[in-house]
Structures are given as C-alpha cells and as structure tokens.
Amino acid sequence: MEKLTRLESRITLLPANDVDTDQIVPARFLTTTTRAGLGKALFADWRYDAAGQPKPDFVLNQPEAADSKVLVAGNNFGCGSSREHAPWALADFGFRAVISTAIADIFRNNSIKNGLVPVVVDQATHEWLMANPWETVTIDLERCELVLPDGSATSFPLDGFSRYCLMEGIDQLGYLQQQSPAIDRYEEQRPWKP
Amino acid sequence: MTAKSLFEKVWQDHVVVPETDDTPAVLYIDLHLIHEVTTPQAFNVLRERGIRVRRPDLTLATMDHSTPTVPVTSLKDLDVVAEGSAARQIRQMIENCREFGIELHGFDRDTRGIVHVIGPELGATQPGKTIVCGDSHSSTHGAFGALAFGIGSTEVGHVLATQCLLQRRPRTLAVNINGQLAAGVTAKDIILALIAKIGVDGGTGHVIEYRGSTVAALDMEQRMTICNMSIEAGARAGMMAPDETTVEYLRGRPMAPQGADWDAAVKRWLALPSDPGASFDREVSLDASALEPMITFGTNPGMAIPVTAAIPERYSGPSFRKAMEYMQVEAGKPMLGKPVDLVFIGSCTNSRITDLRQVASVLRGRKVADNVKMLIVPGSQAIKQQAESEGLDEVFRAAGADWRESGCSMCLGMNGDTVPAGQLCVSTSNRNFEGRQGIGARTVLASPLTAAAAAVSGSIADPRTLETRQ
Ligand code: SF4
C-alpha cells in the first residue's frame, strides 16, 4: 500500500445520496478472483449505456475526472454490501479519498485497508464542495484536515491507528500477526471453547 | 457491579487485547463463515505469504452467491449451467478449501445453502459467540444473541490467518418494539417500518439491540429476518436477547453442544441478556400493533410505506426524483394495484421453512397470475427437503411457480437468475438498490405474504384481503 501524507487534487462530484456498493460495483463483476482491474467496473451501470459505450454526461466520463484523486459524493456513501470490490474499484480508477457527510461502516473499514481515505465533513463544507465542481482541495493526513482553495481548513475524524496505517502504507495483517502470543494465551485461558 | 448490555457482555468476553487511544481492540472470532465471492483474494494473500489458516475448525464454508439454482450433481454439470467466471470462482473455492484444510458444505452435501441460513440451521450460530463473514448480512446471526457483523475481504484474510480482527468498539442503539402484530403483519414489515423511520444511515456506527414484547414473542426465523436487515439501517450489527425460544431452536442441532456441555452452554446463554438498567447510547421505539404490511417504492430499503398508502410527497431533491424515475412511480400515488412481472421468494431474509409455509398458505388452491413469473428458492438444501416432505413444492408447482435448488439466486442476480430490464419484481430479499436484481430491474421489497399476494393477484396487493389456507 502506497504511503500518503498529503493529497492535492481536483474534486469529482457525484451528487447522488445514499450511494450503495451495488452501484459502485454491480454484482455481476464480483465473479473475479483477483483485486486488479476493477476500475473498469466502477459505477458501470451509471457510466455505460446498454451497448457498453461511455455515457458522455456521466461525471467519470468527463476528461477532468481522469486525473482526479478525490471523489465527493452526496450524503451517506458506501452503504449496503460489504464487497471490498468497491474500494478496489475506486482505487483502481485513481481515487485516493472519498468525501461525504456520512460514510458507511464496512465501506469505511475496507477503504482504510486499501489506501483510500474516508473523509466525513459537515453539511456546510459539503455544500461548498458540491457547488464548486473540479475545484482543487488538499487532504492533509498529518493534521486530519481538508483544506479548501481559500486556505480554510476543516478537520475530519480519523482514529490514530487508521491514520498511521494510511500514512505509513501499513498492512494491518502484519500488526495482527504480531499479537499471536496474546491470541495463544486467550485461546488457552478462555473459560469456554467455541 | 455496573449493569451491562448484551453487546457489552459479548464484546468483553472476546477482547484479546483491549483498545487504547492509539490502537483498536484485538477481538477474537468464534465462527468465521466463508463463501466463494469474498474469499478468493483473501486466500491469495495467505498463499503469497505462506500463512496457514489458524482455526479451520472454526471456519464454516459453503457456496451460495454465484451457484446455479438448477441441480448440479457433478462439476461437469457446472460448466453447462454456470457462466464461465462464476464456474471458475466456484472451482477456486473448492480448491482453496481443500488446500487450507477447511470443510466445505459444497454441491455434494445436503447441508449446503445460503451462508446465513446454514449457520443457524447446523447449530453453529450460538448465543454469546462472535461471528463474522465477508458478507454484510452477517447481522442475521445476532438473532441468537451473538455479535455478528460483515467484513471485507482483507479482514477475511485477517480472520483466516489469526482468528482475530482489529475493531473499535461501536456505539449501542436500543430499539424497543412493543405491542401485538395484527394478522398479515410479520417481521419483515417490522424491519421495513423501522428502516423507513430511522433511515438507511440511522444505525451507522451502532450495534442495535432489538428489545420488547414483540421481539420476545417472535420465533427464531422471524427474529432472523429482523436482525438480517440491521445492515440496511447502516447498523454494524443487530442483536436479540437469547431466551427459551433460542434454546429450543438450537437443541439437538448437529453443531450445538451436547450432553453436559449443552447444560453449561444453556446456563451461560441465559445469563447474556442485558442487565436491568443497562445503558445505550441511543434509543428508539416502534409500536408494533400499529403496523401494516409494508412495501418499498424507491431504490433503497428506507423508502418503504404501508401497502395501502400513497408514496409520500414530503421527499424532494434529485436523488428522490431519480429513484422515482428509475422505479417508474409517482409521489402521491399508491403502489397498490401496480402490475407485477416477477415475484421472487428467497434470500437470507425470507427463505426459511416458515416463510415458505406462509407463501404456500396464499398459493394453495390459487394460481400465479398469467402476467407473473414466480421463482421460489429455498435458503438451504435442508429447507428444500423439509418443504418437499410437507408437500409445499406441490402447492408451489400447482400454482405455476418455479421451485429451485438453494442459493442467493435473484437476490443479487450473480448466478444468472436476474430480473430483465424494466420489469417490476416483488421480492422477499433485502435490497431494492438500482440494478441489484439485474440491470434496470425494478425491485419492490415485501414480506413473503405480501409477495405471494402479488403473485396471485398479478399486481401489488394487500395480503390481508386474501384468505390464507393451511
Ligand atoms: S441471499 Fe442475498 S443478501 Fe443474503 S447472502 Fe445471498 S446475496 Fe447476500
């Protein structure tokens, strides 16, 4: 996982509310057995017509989206299915952060494990972003702040451990494996066995 | 001693390393359910790093999501009935389980079924356990007083490798449901009404405990229907206090404790309910006696109304308009009477034997309307056998419905069972998202009774207007 301290990027706006992971990656793409290449499936049903041609008015098909690393979605992003294919697809397309007023729990967990920063902002900041397509913002992980073009900063919640993992590009499996003496002890000492 | 909630008791019992400001808790997992769709990437990581599965004995594996619902007796059949990549994924699952020493409830086993149906059915789901699966409807198992939640594939790898997860402690939400349900109103209606009330993000960051007289009076299958859809309110998990109903359900199941172990387990289970005075971060209440059969009209499970009501005009905004357009419905108008193309009975929400009996009570002596195709998919092979031993399959076939092998099927349309674009499907599943049942599919969520009523009426109907026949 790539390290990330500071991210400056144009924002891509997707104003829909309650975007679920079935929209992010439709189920028919889930028969894959690898993580790679899911960027093509990202928002497939909104992005392509019935003949598989890109719909020109969909935001991801606009040229500005190509090098955008920050997706700003409507209220409550990533609800529904636990499919990690959703953050895999967003990351494969090139996004490194998602901004919304609320982000669903499982999607949030999955994002952090794939170097995608979940940024929850207040309504006013969200409204400003929604009114300013393709503006450039900065996400500062050191300070957990979203910095707008006028220099004003809003902080966003991110627990210390997630922040550390994102900044150092740390894979949590290694950390968990280091806990094995405690896990051995727990298994031996617990009063009942599953 | 401070009063503890059910959630707190189960959480504390599984903390291997407590959380600190800087680090999440290491939480032990008692049961890991796995299926073919969200595990291949996790097994790949284990393989690349030369890690073995720590506790294959605590891992329960089946195949459900991309499996065909027509009979498959050999892997040769699979290529005939399954699309190439789905067949590859199924083969990969068989290979992964063999390589890592995990028992697979596969095609050759009559214990196969939807992962959230077979866990309880085999008695592997028990009160007080921590249960996870790479699937958001893991919340189903909370009906037994387990702490059960969905995880992503990376976390599936964590559990396979260490039997543990890194977790921040969630907040708690008490949902008090009291009052007696009217005839024709079931658990599905309760949960749809709740999600309509608190919203699809109403439970985000929380573990719900469903409490109250209505919950206590429900059987285990109805309880599972409610806990199953906790995730549709955004909740991390849903839990219910174990009681005599829970104990009786588990008694004698193959993976439930036996003999002296059973007695000890029951004692431990019955001490799990929240202590009087236990506190919750939030509370909401629902009057069950006022509920009517519910249906959804939009593109998320929170867009639900009583079957006789009109689509509310109070919503606005582009997302709402997009949903109305997609569903081809209009605010201010009722859903009742809208012609239906398909009816799907199935999914981990409503595919259990009592659901099927309810469907049969409507179909008995009636015909599926000419304009409707009806698909009935049991949650497991065991349920299929049970239904057939009760003659339910004959009721279904006589009515003109299609009776299948178990699996997720049209709940997410991964196995080829899809709703054609533009068609309206009344479904007992849990998600009416755009395209969930197929590209352009329009899904209306409902209870088994309401879905069956739609099938025989040919349009969205109130099940209370049809006499049921046992
Ligand atoms: S039945 Fe539907 S919701 Fe349940 S596990 Fe299968 S796909 Fe998921």
Side-chain angles (χ1 to χ4, degrees):
Chain A
M1 212 166 83
E2 232 176 280
K3 294 185 183 183
L4 184 70
T5 315
R6 219 180 138 79
L7 175 67
E8 190 180 321
S9 165
R10 193 185 276 161
I11 52 172
T12 297
L13 301 186
L14 186 77
N17 292 337
D18 303 314
V19 172
D20 58 78
T21 53
D22 271 86
Q23 307 315 313
I24 304 174
V25 181
R28 63 184 182 283
F29 297 102
L30 304 189
T31 52
T32 177
T33 53
T34 65
R35 298 168 187 238
L38 278 161
K40 288 195 298 291
L42 181 64
F43 291 111
D45 291 346
W46 292 355
R47 192 164 145 204
Y48 306 108
D49 63 19
Q53 292 305 309
K55 292 185 191 169
D57 56 341
F58 185 64
V59 70
L60 292 192
N61 294 326
Q62 289 160 24
E64 293 94 332
D67 61 351
S68 168
K69 292 185 166 46
V70 178
L71 181 72
V72 184
N75 299 327
N76 185 36
F77 188 77
C79 54
S81 157
S82 63
R83 60 189 68 166
E84 198 163 323
H85 308 69
W88 291 338
L90 286 159
D92 191 48
F93 184 86
F95 289 116
R96 294 302 308 271
V98 178
I99 304 180
S100 175
T101 52
I103 292 181
D105 293 328
I106 306 179
F107 176 83
R108 182 188 173 85
N109 271 338
N110 288 341
S111 294
I112 288 163
K113 297 188 176 60
N114 290 281
L116 187 71
V117 189
V119 179
V120 172
V121 294
D122 57 87
Q123 205 70 46
T125 308
H126 191 251
E127 276 166 23
W128 187 91
L129 293 165
M130 279 295 167
N132 289 278
W134 312 121
E135 266 295 354
T136 297
V137 300
T138 302
I139 289 167
D140 181 345
L141 273 182
E142 193 100 55
R143 312 165 70 114
C144 284
E145 279 179 354
L146 169 73
V147 187
L148 301 183
D150 66 356
S152 65
T154 340
S155 63
F156 59 87
L158 189 66
D159 70 278
F161 186 75
S162 302
R163 178 171 150 266
Y164 175 75
C165 291
L166 284 164
M167 288 180 65
E168 298 299 322
I170 288 194
D171 152 20
Q172 300 181 5
L173 178 54
Y175 174 84
L176 207 39
Q177 282 182 296
Q178 286 167 14
Q179 311 298 318
S180 63
I183 303 172
D184 292 344
R185 220 174 312 123
Y186 175 88
E187 281 184 338
E188 263 165 47
Q189 293 174 358
R190 65 183 297 179
W192 61 278
K193 311 280 181 229
Chain B
M1 227 175 65
T2 51
K4 284 188 201 153
S5 69
L6 165 64
F7 160 75
E8 283 173 291
K9 293 180 191 182
V10 182
W11 173 270
Q12 279 176 11
D13 194 24
H14 291 86
V15 171
V16 175
V17 180
E19 70 179 326
T20 66
D21 284 348
D22 292 332
T23 49
V26 175
L27 194 72
Y28 196 83
I29 302 303
D30 294 332
L31 175 64
H32 187 196
L33 304 163
I34 62 172
H35 62 82
E36 75 279 19
V37 175
T38 55
T39 56
Q41 293 85 352
F43 280 115
N44 289 347
V45 170
L46 262 63
R47 202 173 281 122
E48 280 158 22
R49 302 193 192 179
I51 304 171
R52 51 178 195 87
V53 173
R54 182 180 175 105
R55 295 294 302 267
D57 58 323
L58 301 184
T59 312
L60 181 64
T62 192
M63 304 192 289
D64 51 7
H65 281 67
S66 54
T67 54
T69 49
V70 291
V72 173
T73 43
S74 75
L75 280 177
K76 241 202 249 110
D77 288 354
L78 186 63
D79 291 323
V80 181
V81 298
E83 185 260 331
S85 59
R88 262 198 305 283
Q89 190 171 58
I90 290 164
R91 282 213 168 75
Q92 185 69 53
M93 181 70 181
I94 296 169
E95 190 44 47
N96 286 340
C97 287
R98 189 181 299 137
E99 183 180 336
F100 288 90
I102 296 166
E103 181 186 351
L104 173 65
H105 297 264
F107 289 124
D108 53 344
R109 299 280 294 271
D110 52 17
T111 47
R112 186 175 71 86
I114 303 174
V115 68
H116 308 307
V117 173
I118 69 167
E121 198 169 76
L122 294 170
T125 299
Q126 292 161 21
K129 279 190 178 182
T130 45
I131 302 177
V132 297
C133 175
D135 190 283
S136 59
H137 292 100
S138 305
S139 56
T140 312
H141 308 269
F144 290 79
L147 173 61
F149 52 92
I151 57 178
S153 298
T154 299
E155 290 178 317
V156 168
H158 292 178
V159 181
L160 289 173
T162 67
Q163 204 59 32
C164 288
L165 275 177
L166 293 168
Q167 287 287 305
R168 285 281 170 195
R169 185 192 163 109
R171 293 186 292 274
T172 50
L173 166 62
V175 174
N176 302 301
I177 312 172
N178 288 292
Q180 202 181 343
L181 291 172
V185 183
T186 61
K188 183 64 161 285
D189 305 305
I190 296 179
I191 189 64
L192 285 173
L194 178 72
I195 302 165
K197 180 175 170 142
I198 68 173
V200 290
D201 59 353
T204 303
H206 292 78
V207 168
I208 295 177
E209 182 180 325
Y210 301 96
R211 307 151 59 84
S213 63
T214 318
V215 176
L218 294 174
D219 62 33
M220 287 317 295
E221 309 205 328
Q222 300 252 319
R223 291 183 191 182
M224 284 189 257
T225 299
I226 293 181
C227 284
N228 173 275
M229 288 188 71
S230 304
I231 180 68
E232 309 314 333
R236 199 77 186 92
M239 301 177 83
M240 290 175 179
D243 59 8
E244 285 304 328
T245 307
T246 322
V247 171
E248 283 320 306
Y249 178 95
L250 287 170
R251 189 188 296 278
R253 303 227 168 226
M255 292 173 78
Q258 314 290 336
D261 287 346
W262 168 260
D263 297 335
V266 170
K267 201 163 155 240
R268 189 164 46 77
W269 296 345
L270 294 178
L272 285 169
S274 294
D275 300 328
S279 68
F280 296 87
D281 296 303
R282 275 172 61 208
E283 289 204 37
V284 295
S285 300
L286 199 68
D287 176 7
S289 65
L291 294 180
E292 294 185 62
M294 299 288 291
I295 47 161
T296 61
F297 59 87
T299 53
N300 73 48
M303 298 168 104
I305 46 171
V307 68
T308 51
I311 298 173
E313 296 180 88
R314 64 170 188 274
Y315 299 103
S316 61
S319 289
F320 182 73
R321 278 198 301 276
K322 184 167 183 264
M324 296 297 94
E325 241 166 68
Y326 182 89
M327 289 301 294
Q328 300 169 31
V329 296
E330 253 177 83
K333 300 250 170 76
M335 293 293 286
L336 203 65
K338 258 194 165 306
V340 165
D341 303 299
L342 265 155
V343 171
F344 172 60
I345 308 287
S347 91
C348 57
T349 313
N350 285 123
S351 62
R352 299 182 177 84
I353 191 68
T354 51
D355 299 317
L356 300 181
R357 285 181 194 141
Q358 286 186 357
V359 171
S361 77
V362 176
L363 294 193
R364 202 166 271 125
R366 296 192 176 98
K367 287 270 180 221
V368 174
D370 289 342
N371 58 312
V372 177
K373 250 186 74 180
M374 187 181 197
L375 186 64
I376 306 177
V377 181
S380 69
Q381 294 305 99
I383 292 171
K384 180 169 189 269
Q385 279 171 15
Q386 174 69 26
E388 288 174 356
S389 75
E390 295 179 20
L392 302 184
D393 58 322
E394 278 162 37
V395 177
F396 300 152
R397 282 201 201 90
D402 203 352
W403 171 242
R404 296 284 184 88
E405 302 293 309
S406 68
C408 295
S409 179
M410 206 177 267
C411 174
L412 90 168
M414 266 192 86
N415 70 336
D417 297 340
T418 54
V419 176
Q423 293 205 356
L424 192 75
C425 177
V426 179
S427 175
T428 63
S429 56
N430 41 52
R431 287 186 175 141
N432 51 340
F433 299 148
E434 275 183 40
R436 169 81 179 181
Q437 296 190 290
I439 305 174
R442 298 186 294 143
T443 302
V444 171
L445 302 178
S447 72
L449 282 176
T450 307
V456 296
S457 311
S459 59
I460 293 178
D462 184 343
R464 293 169 299 186
T465 61
L466 294 172
E467 184 205 340
T468 56
R469 300 158 184 168
Q470 301 309 323

